[in-house]
Amino acid sequence: MLKKIPIFKTLSPEKLGELEEIVVTKSYKKGEFLFLEGEEPKWLIYLLSGSVKLYKTTPNGKEIFLHQLPPMNFVAEVVNFENIAYPASAVFVISGEVVKINYEKFYSKFMADPEICMAIIRSMSEKLRITSNLLHQELILSSEAKVAQFILSHEDVFNELKHTKIASILNITPETFSRILNKFKAQNLVKLDEKNQISEKNVELLEAICS
């Protein structure tokens, strides 16, 4: 299992054995929480399969969508290194499996490896880019651009969730989402099957809307 994770491929059999001693693997069903906002982190978490939605909750209970995380990624690893509580919640929107590594023991035994350090830094840098993209989405993108970008980036999630839920994620009304989707279908930008799942999409024209 650990050999599926790119940063551990170069570890010696002895080191892999040490790592296995501080690792647990856990499966989650759709709708189950990986962690909740405010919880203290104990594990360095790596998503092997499925898809996780990261979101914050406002004082009045409204969800603010942050990111949809695909497999083969660390999840919220920044909190481990900053020693802070989770600033957001993570819930599975597609059932999956994670590797959970005891962070305290991992730090003392493995962070001296320069390849592992660089891989962690690259992962955290990617999360900063995601945050920048989120600000761009909320401050600059039109509602049509938000829908187009979601279709391009998260087709699997689009096919799993109800349209009212996607509208909430994008911070637009269900009526606006429905109007935009009908417009996209009329312009042959996207085609849906009888289950409202994407069967075809015009990537070039959708990308043009995003830009």
Side-chain angles (χ1 to χ4, degrees), residues 3-20:
K3 289 183 179 179
K4 292 182 180 180
I5 302 176
I7 69 170
F8 299 143
K9 286 183 177 179
T10 59
L11 291 180
S12 66
E14 292 77 17
K15 280 290 186 181
L16 277 175
E18 290 181 30
L19 186 59
E20 287 174 355

Side-chain angles (χ1 to χ4, degrees), residues 34-53:
L34 182 56
F35 52 78
L36 291 170
E37 184 175 347
E39 284 185 350
E40 296 296 326
K42 297 179 181 179
W43 307 94
L44 183 61
I45 302 173
Y46 194 87
L47 181 65
L48 289 174
S49 62
S51 186
V52 170
K53 180 182 75 172

Side-chain angles (χ1 to χ4, degrees), residues 82-94:
E82 292 292 329
N83 193 27
I84 58 175
Y86 287 111
S89 298
V91 62
F92 275 83
V93 293
I94 299 175

